[in-house]
Amino acid sequence: MSVFPIRWHEEALKLLDQRLLPAEVTEISYDSVAAVADAIRDMVVRGAPAIGITAAFGVVIAARARYAESPDNWRESIGKDLRLLADARPTAINLFWAIERMRGCFDEIEGDPVERLLTEAKTIHKEDIAANKRMGDLGAQLIGAGSNILTHCNAGALATGGYGTALGVIRSAVAAGKVGQVFADETRPWLQGARLTAWELLQDGIPVSLIAEGAASWLMCQGKVQWIVVGSDRIAANGDVANKIGTYQLAVSARYHGLKFMVVAPTSTVDMNIAGGADIPIETRNADELLKCGDKTVAAAGASAWNPVFDVTPAVLVDAIVTEQGVVEKPDAKKILAMMENT
Ligand code: MRU
């Protein structure tokens, strides 16, 4: 595995700038919490688990500054920094999960908080990679020999601590010799599939064929794919799944064509406080992401655009949810609760 989107080096957070991939492979160094929040909002780093890990290191950076400012009051003054991080993006629950896990350490700290918080952020990062490898093995066991797989967006090493969720399953299934061909949706408008998934798989020598989103149902109809494997930004307590816009239509079409649909996500993506997908906040981004291609306007002057960047797939269309705790087939509220009780 050759791609690492996040690292802590020489007392600063380094993020691979995903806005520039694959043309440029550039890291940016961060030492202020406001800049970390901007990096999440502007999608220097993106993907649910990667956003959470980044926020955890953002809490370390905030605590360092607040403790230097006022050693007796850092717990109070850091509150606004945590809100700044939490406000950066609304849909991926991993962001809020990571901030709360970091906050959970505050009470046990005496004196300078940096060492304890840095250990926690590094642990969150390591645990995410370990969870991805476990999910990779579990998900790959579901894939029949010779299967072709379609994935959407980028749910890979770039979207996580490393290895990936959906792409982790693809990596493990390829290593087991089970995969015929990998297809990736280009994933309009931000092109996570064309720019990131294709780049990341090719770094590992895994061949990939891109398709336009509009080609997905036709690919299924032609019998060219057996599994759809995607990640998630938030899974509700009943198994409804929020993921990149376009995921829902893949699930509808997969069911129509009698194909299998797998969601791969760590338990940090499961939100037991949300009963069903209707309550998951869906981010809407700037219309310019649709009206332009890079800096160039491509839409007719005067056209407006609606740009929701996630959708919700109802649990009934999901064949399997794979977490590091195991595989939940045909998910429902009872099965999700049983899985989460083991965490
Ligand atoms: O807008 P993005 O690129 O942050 O959206 C990312 C996705 O939708 C991924 O599929 C999801 O976060 C799972 S990543 C392991």
Side-chain angles (χ1 to χ4, degrees):
M1 178 189 51
S2 38
V3 175
F4 290 96
I6 304 164
R7 60 192 187 106
W8 182 266
H9 184 63
E10 293 178 347
E11 300 184 10
L13 175 65
K14 315 272 179 186
L15 298 176
L16 193 58
D17 191 344
Q18 300 193 28
R19 299 167 304 178
L20 303 181
L21 287 171
E24 276 180 49
V25 183
T26 306
E27 259 184 358
I28 304 179
S29 188
Y30 292 88
D31 60 5
S32 94
V33 68
V36 174
D38 285 346
I40 295 172
R41 183 175 305 103
D42 297 343
M43 296 173 66
V44 172
V45 63
R46 31 65 54 203
I51 293 172
I53 296 161
T54 301
F57 284 112
V59 174
V60 177
I61 290 169
R64 181 168 64 195
R66 294 298 177 187
Y67 185 75
E69 223 171 65
S70 168
D72 293 333
N73 293 321
W74 69 268
R75 281 183 193 75
E76 290 77 51
S77 53
I78 202 172
K80 54 173 103 57
D81 301 323
L82 303 190
R83 281 192 294 279
L84 191 67
L85 288 167
D87 285 345
R89 290 192 77 187
T91 303
I93 185 71
N94 308 61
L95 174 62
F96 317 109
W97 172 89
I99 294 169
E100 285 316 306
R101 180 156 156 183
M102 296 298 284
R103 196 204 300 268
C105 302
F106 287 4
D107 283 350
E108 66 187 63
I109 295 171
E110 282 170 28
D112 189 336
V114 170
E115 205 179 305
R116 173 69 189 92
L117 292 178
L118 186 55
T119 302
E120 192 68 11
K122 286 181 175 172
T123 304
I124 290 174
H125 193 176
K126 271 194 216 132
E127 284 177 3
D128 186 66
I129 297 174
N132 287 341
K133 295 208 166 134
R134 168 103 184 111
M135 290 185 283
D137 290 343
L138 289 170
Q141 284 168 25
L142 301 178
I143 307 276
S147 296
N148 292 351
I149 302 176
L150 170 64
T151 189
H152 187 63
C153 190
N154 171 266
L158 287 167
T160 62
Y163 201 69
T165 55
L167 293 195
V169 168
I170 289 175
R171 283 190 165 89
S172 297
V174 167
K178 289 180 158 185
V179 180
Q181 205 175 348
V182 180
F183 292 95
D185 273 332
E186 61 176 352
T187 317
R188 293 260 320 138
W190 216 72
L191 298 174
Q192 285 94 334
R195 298 193 301 105
L196 307 179
T197 293
W199 180 77
E200 175 179 333
L201 289 176
L202 293 171
Q203 297 300 300
D204 277 5
I206 300 174
V208 56
S209 290
L210 282 173
I211 59 164
E213 248 99 327
S217 290
W218 189 237
L219 182 86
M220 296 182 201
C221 176
Q222 300 290 300
K224 287 183 184 291
V225 66
Q226 285 69 48
W227 272 97
I228 320 305
V229 182
V230 299
S232 174
D233 291 82
R234 197 184 297 217
I235 299 174
N238 68 348
D240 289 350
V241 172
N243 193 47
K244 179 53 55 194
I245 191 78
T247 302
Y248 171 49
Q249 67 196 18
L250 292 179
V252 170
S253 199
R255 181 59 55 88
Y256 178 80
H257 291 98
L259 305 174
K260 296 287 190 185
F261 188 87
M262 185 195 305
V263 176
V264 191
T267 50
S268 54
T269 301
V270 180
D271 185 354
M272 293 304 282
N273 294 317
I274 280 194
D279 294 328
I280 298 177
I282 298 293
E283 179 179 12
T284 302
R285 289 183 72 89
N286 197 306
D288 273 357
E289 288 182 359
L290 273 172
L291 300 172
K292 294 181 166 186
C293 197
D295 289 337
K296 192 176 182 312
T297 300
V298 289
S304 62
W306 177 54
N307 187 22
V309 297
F310 299 100
D311 58 25
V312 176
T313 298
V316 71
L317 294 179
V318 177
D319 292 293
I321 292 180
V322 178
T323 74
E324 77 280 12
Q325 292 297 334
V327 176
V328 177
E329 292 192 60
K330 298 192 189 336
D332 61 22
K334 216 167 130 195
K335 292 179 189 171
I336 297 286
L337 181 62
M339 184 217 16
M340 291 306 282
E341 278 173 348
N342 288 330
T343 57

